[in-house]
Amino acid sequence: MATSTAPHRSYSQVPDPLGRFGDYGGRYVPETLSAALDELEQAYTEAAADPAFQQELDDLLCRFVGRETPLLFADRLTEYAGGARIYFKREDLSHTGAHKINNTLGQGLLALRMGKRRIIAETGAGQHGVATATACARFGLECVVYMGAEDVRRQAPNVRNMRLMGAEVRPVESGSRTLRDAINDAMRDWMGSVETSHYIIGSVVGPHPFPKIVRDFQSVIGRETVAQCERDLGRMPDMVVACVGGGSNAAGMFYPFVDVEGVRLVGVEAGGRSAQAGSHAASLSHGQPGVLHGSLSYVLQNPDGQTSDVHSVSAGLDYPGVGPEHAYWHDAGRVDYTSVTDAEALDAFDLVARKEGILPALETSHALAWTVREAASMPPEAVVVVCLSGRGDKDAAEIARLRGFSEELTHG
Amino acid sequence: MVDTAVDTPITKLTAALAARRQAGEVVVAPFLTAGDPDLDFTFQALKVAQQAGATLCELGVPYSDPIADGPVIQASYTRALNAGGTLEGVFGLAARASEQLTMPLVAMTSYSIIFRRGIDRFVGEAAAVGLTGLIVPDLPIEESSLLAKACRQADVALVRLVTPTTPPERAARIAAESTGFLYCVSVAGVTGERVSLPQQLKDRVRWLKEQTDVPILVGFGISRPEQVREVGDVADGVIVGSALVRHLEATSGDQRQTALASIAQHVGELVAAGRAG
Ligand SMILES: Cc1ncc(COP(=O)(O)O)c(C=O)c1O
């Protein structure tokens, strides 16, 4: 993992043709899937070079999703933190309430190009499931979503919404009954349906070319942010922060910034209850290189290579791996990765709800918690942008339960 | 077959396969999860499988996230891991079995486990405990050069897989690189019994035979004697997994002996079907 320390190194020229981000990435899957991944790679390469494809996607992102999403100055939160100026990139205002839709529309269009009319997806928080169900409804595709049984419970509103849009939600009872098990079952489905189905993976994880494709579709977040900073602030931010589950909102936000000098990039992982194995989901902070779900990256596993149990209060971050491009940025020192605990994330949820009138997703609340803390130690002219990856309606009932609010909401 | 004076892991495997083919029999290769319900049971199961006429055995190394496996093998891996299964334990079992049994053993393992152990270390340990080959179902040919090199140096077979979705050119390349034998996956999908095998399977195997000199074993979905006869017409043998692992679902107390007897009988029937032809 030797990295050069030359000052003007580029971090954006990855992956290579085998899907390598430095040492990470690649394609570790059963042979049954190889041909489909080759087909996907080719379809994507052709689509990326086809102006009509880009035009159609841009049009959907504008009229269907509501892009571009605003860059909002969070003035009361800034005042509270007492340091750098904090801005929110409002992905929560996207149709379906999170960044996930940027990817599902892109991949949905790819599925149409490949003539595949059945879509499989996994979901943790349910945001990717909802975004996939939405794309499928819009494009007239059949949709099957795998979701850990534990997540079905804690993200019930999203399960209902997927079903309302005609998707079939299959609860997964194996293993830890969370995101990792949902990915396993989605891949098993794909093993048997690969000739007629496309798997819309929900983050920058999985075998090549998924990490690249998802990163590219999500990069609209960072591209808009760069343009908005230039236009509205006349300068680049000093720091950009995003939460990291599989790492798609972070990759989409960071990628257009990685070759911009002087911008500090920070990914915030789920610190869970504690730094003890099994109590968190911070793969980059506490894991090591290993192979999971088709790619080589940082993973949480035991010395035998068995995947560890993980924990996070937020279903979307409750994953023992992370996208390979983050492993590359981590080792290269381009992005700093840190973590915040369940309790800190819950506090940040409350804070942002009351100071800014926004209920952020619990995933996003991790990035917010770290931002508020760090902004305090930065000068008032400094600018911090945090990716507000999603809205928190899906979490509101669970937070109320954890906070001991009664259903009839006695707190006025 | 190559005539070698030295006894290496791969020559043991190659010789066992060749002997069975020279006798005009279809190779039957059972798959068993190492350590379900415990390592001693697996040893006893290997022993009865050998007595029933198995040519070689595949030892499944339990893994937490086996995406190529259907519910039966997944559940078996989970039982083995919940019972405290470790790689150390699997290697110990392999050492005991290679010492006390004559049939060659091949490990079926996820690349996640090999990578974590360290490629050279894993292969060295596998060879030292008498494993004759490795099947790594989640390692496509593009990612396999380091493992292939380590296996070559240790004279351990690296068995490759071709599937119904593999395009011909790629299948030819995989077949040419496979050592020990070639694993022809019968269906596109995960492991598990199938009522019927695809129509084109025989044609695929005939075509593959022209691409390689190593024996071809067909696996995924095989459980019954008539399938052994059908596949044995064109292939060198069959691999039987989920159908046998099912016998491991009830193994507490005196169910142990029943389970062992079922495995022996099941393997025996498949072997007999492969002799009749
Ligand atoms: C709002 C929101 N943010 C972040 C995530 C984490 O995913 P990723 O790291 O891929 O952005 C999720 C996942 O469900 C999410 O719903």
Side-chain angles (χ1 to χ4, degrees), chain A residues 97-100 123-128 179 202-204 243-250 315-317 326 361-364 388-391 394:
Chain A
H99 65 293
K100 300 286 181 184
T123 195
Q127 288 302 123
H128 175 62
L179 182 52
S203 193
V204 286
C243 67
V244 177
S248 68
N249 86 90
L317 305 185
H326 288 288
L362 267 181
E363 292 77 17
T364 314
L388 211 106
S389 59
R391 57 190 290 159
K394 67 188 178 60

Side-chain angles (χ1 to χ4, degrees), chain A residues 22 102 107 111 132 174 199 230 243 272 378:
Chain A
N102 301 325
Q107 288 205 51
T132 305
S174 59
Y199 176 22
E230 273 168 357
C243 67
M378 295 169 75

Side-chain angles (χ1 to χ4, degrees), chain A residues 103-127:
Chain A
N103 170 43
T104 60
L105 289 173
Q107 288 205 51
L109 287 179
L110 282 180
L112 289 175
R113 263 180 106 90
M114 293 186 292
K116 296 191 170 176
R117 306 213 55 95
R118 179 175 178 269
I119 299 296
I120 313 157
E122 86 294 337
T123 195
Q127 288 302 123

Side-chain angles (χ1 to χ4, degrees), chain A residues 31, chain B residues 134-137 139-149 151-152 157-163 171 173-185 214-215 217:
Chain A
E31 174 59 22
Chain B
L134 302 178
I135 305 172
V136 190
L139 188 69
I141 200 142
E142 293 80 6
E143 303 285 0
S144 69
S145 62
L146 291 176
L147 184 62
K149 185 166 163 228
C151 285
R152 251 190 328 271
L158 182 55
V159 175
R160 314 296 187 129
L161 300 93
V162 291
T163 73
R173 187 173 147 219
I174 293 172
E177 291 202 18
S178 198
T179 52
F181 60 89
L182 176 66
Y183 194 137
C184 174
V185 176
V214 296
L217 304 195

Side-chain angles (χ1 to χ4, degrees), chain A residues 31-374:
Chain A
E31 174 59 22
T32 299
L33 299 180
S34 288
L37 292 167
D38 282 342
E39 181 192 5
L40 175 62
E41 192 179 355
Q42 190 178 345
Y44 178 65
T45 306
E46 286 168 14
D50 177 357
F53 178 87
Q54 203 52 56
Q55 174 72 50
E56 190 175 2
L57 181 57
D58 287 349
D59 198 59
L60 280 166
L61 290 175
C62 169
R63 289 167 218 274
F64 187 62
V65 177
R67 301 205 75 92
E68 65 178 32
T69 59
L71 183 68
L72 172 78
F73 177 47
D75 54 349
R76 295 192 65 228
L77 192 67
T78 296
E79 187 190 319
Y80 172 87
R85 296 165 67 82
I86 301 171
Y87 288 81
F88 292 163
K89 175 61 176 165
R90 299 288 310 277
E91 291 305 297
D92 61 314
L93 291 179
S94 300
H95 180 43
T96 71
H99 65 293
K100 300 286 181 184
I101 190 91
N102 301 325
N103 170 43
T104 60
L105 289 173
Q107 288 205 51
L109 287 179
L110 282 180
L112 289 175
R113 263 180 106 90
M114 293 186 292
K116 296 191 170 176
R117 306 213 55 95
R118 179 175 178 269
I119 299 296
I120 313 157
E122 86 294 337
T123 195
Q127 288 302 123
H128 175 62
V130 167
T132 305
T134 302
C136 288
R138 169 97 201 160
F139 298 143
L141 300 169
E142 183 187 343
C143 181
V144 175
V145 179
Y146 291 89
M147 186 170 188
E150 166 63 12
D151 295 338
V152 168
R153 184 193 67 73
R154 57 181 168 168
Q155 307 280 264
N158 278 338
V159 176
R160 180 200 59 209
N161 291 352
M162 284 183 259
R163 289 183 170 145
L164 286 172
M165 282 182 288
E168 181 191 343
V169 180
R170 296 189 183 165
V172 176
E173 298 285 353
S174 59
S176 54
R177 306 154 85 236
T178 58
L179 182 52
R180 153 194 161 206
D181 310 285
I183 295 182
N184 287 341
D185 268 19
M187 287 202 169
R188 287 178 188 126
D189 179 318
W190 205 31
M191 288 276 290
S193 63
V194 66
E195 279 151 312
T196 54
S197 300
H198 175 60
Y199 176 22
I200 300 190
I201 206 161
S203 193
V204 286
V205 300
H208 177 63
F210 282 119
K212 173 184 160 60
I213 291 179
V214 179
R215 177 257 271 160
D216 287 354
F217 285 141
Q218 291 294 1
S219 291
V220 65
I221 305 172
R223 282 197 308 272
E224 285 178 4
T225 305
V226 167
Q228 287 166 323
C229 286
E230 273 168 357
R231 189 182 69 209
D232 302 351
L233 314 177
R235 55 169 296 200
M236 285 296 108
D238 299 280
M239 184 165 87
V240 177
V241 186
C243 67
V244 177
S248 68
N249 86 90
M253 183 57 134
F254 294 166
Y255 184 66
F257 282 103
V258 287
D259 287 339
V260 181
E261 273 182 78
V263 181
R264 184 180 178 205
L265 304 174
V266 182
V268 184
E269 298 190 299
R273 295 187 201 98
S274 75
Q276 245 189 346
S279 298
H280 61 81
S283 318
L284 288 159
S285 306
H286 301 303
Q288 57 182 297
V291 174
L292 177 67
H293 291 147
S295 66
L296 171 59
S297 185
Y298 277 69
V299 295
L300 294 165
Q301 49 177 216
N302 78 8
D304 259 6
Q306 309 292 347
T307 311
S308 304
D309 285 338
V310 290
H311 162 81
S312 171
V313 68
S314 112
L317 305 185
D318 204 353
Y319 181 63
V322 66
E325 192 160 19
H326 288 288
Y328 164 68
W329 289 333
H330 172 272
D331 285 12
R334 179 61 188 98
V335 180
D336 294 331
Y337 295 90
T338 179
S339 65
V340 311
T341 63
D342 287 353
E344 291 169 313
L346 286 164
D347 286 348
F349 176 95
D350 287 350
L351 182 67
V352 172
R354 285 157 191 258
K355 293 277 179 213
E356 293 293 342
I358 294 172
L359 299 182
L362 267 181
E363 292 77 17
T364 314
S365 300
H366 286 72
L368 292 166
W370 196 82
T371 301
V372 170
R373 206 165 59 203
E374 188 70 9

Side-chain angles (χ1 to χ4, degrees), chain B:
Chain B
M1 288 298 136
V2 191
D3 188 14
T4 32
V6 257
D7 221 9
T8 67
I10 194 168
T11 50
K12 179 176 177 184
L13 174 62
T14 303
L17 286 160
R20 193 60 61 115
R21 290 308 279 156
Q22 270 149 25
E25 296 179 25
V26 179
V27 167
V28 174
F31 167 98
L32 290 164
T33 304
D36 176 18
D38 55 58
L39 294 166
D40 186 61
F41 182 94
T42 310
F43 176 78
Q44 303 302 334
L46 292 172
K47 196 164 153 184
V48 301
Q50 174 175 300
Q51 284 161 356
T55 307
L56 63 113
C57 235
E58 259 178 57
L59 209 46
V61 180
Y63 176 50
S64 53
D65 298 84
I67 56 172
D69 283 305
V72 174
I73 292 178
Q74 259 180 72
S76 175
Y77 279 179
T78 304
R79 288 193 297 269
L81 290 173
N82 288 346
T86 61
L87 188 54
E88 222 49 63
V90 177
F91 282 151
L93 166 67
R96 180 179 173 200
S98 348
E99 219 176 83
Q100 299 185 30
L101 307 177
T102 52
M103 142 186 98
L105 296 176
V106 173
M108 168 85 106
T109 177
S110 166
Y111 190 64
S112 301
I113 291 173
I114 298 176
F115 183 88
R116 177 61 191 246
R117 193 71 157 192
I119 293 168
D120 291 333
R121 179 175 170 204
F122 186 99
V123 174
E125 288 175 341
V129 298
L131 288 165
T132 64
L134 302 178
I135 305 172
V136 190
D138 51 8
L139 188 69
I141 200 142
E142 293 80 6
E143 303 285 0
S144 69
S145 62
L146 291 176
L147 184 62
K149 185 166 163 228
C151 285
R152 251 190 328 271
Q153 280 167 357
D155 287 311
V156 168
L158 182 55
V159 175
R160 314 296 187 129
L161 300 93
V162 291
T163 73
T165 58
T166 311
E169 229 169 79
R170 183 178 169 87
R173 187 173 147 219
I174 293 172
E177 291 202 18
S178 198
T179 52
F181 60 89
L182 176 66
Y183 194 137
C184 174
V185 176
S186 66
V187 292
V190 294
T191 55
E193 299 112 293
R194 305 289 199 283
V195 183
S196 65
L197 297 172
Q199 285 291 306
Q200 314 87 327
L201 177 62
K202 282 190 174 185
D203 291 339
R204 281 179 48 228
V205 175
R206 273 193 207 97
W207 182 85
L208 281 170
K209 283 297 266 180
E210 292 162 18
Q211 315 302 317
T212 174
D213 294 331
V214 296
I216 296 177
L217 304 195
V218 174
F220 281 41
I222 309 249
S223 60
R224 300 199 303 245
E226 58 275 22
Q227 292 173 317
V228 175
R229 275 193 289 273
E230 186 190 339
V231 170
D233 263 359
V234 286
D236 296 278
V238 295
I239 296 163
V240 191
S242 297
L244 287 177
V245 171
R246 244 183 222 294
H247 300 303
L248 305 178
E249 285 168 358
T251 51
S252 52
D254 24 321
Q255 292 172 321
R256 268 174 104 92
Q257 288 313 316
T258 321
L260 286 173
S262 308
I263 290 169
Q265 189 189 344
H266 201 148
V267 174
E269 282 167 14
L270 300 178
V271 170
R275 273 183 190 139

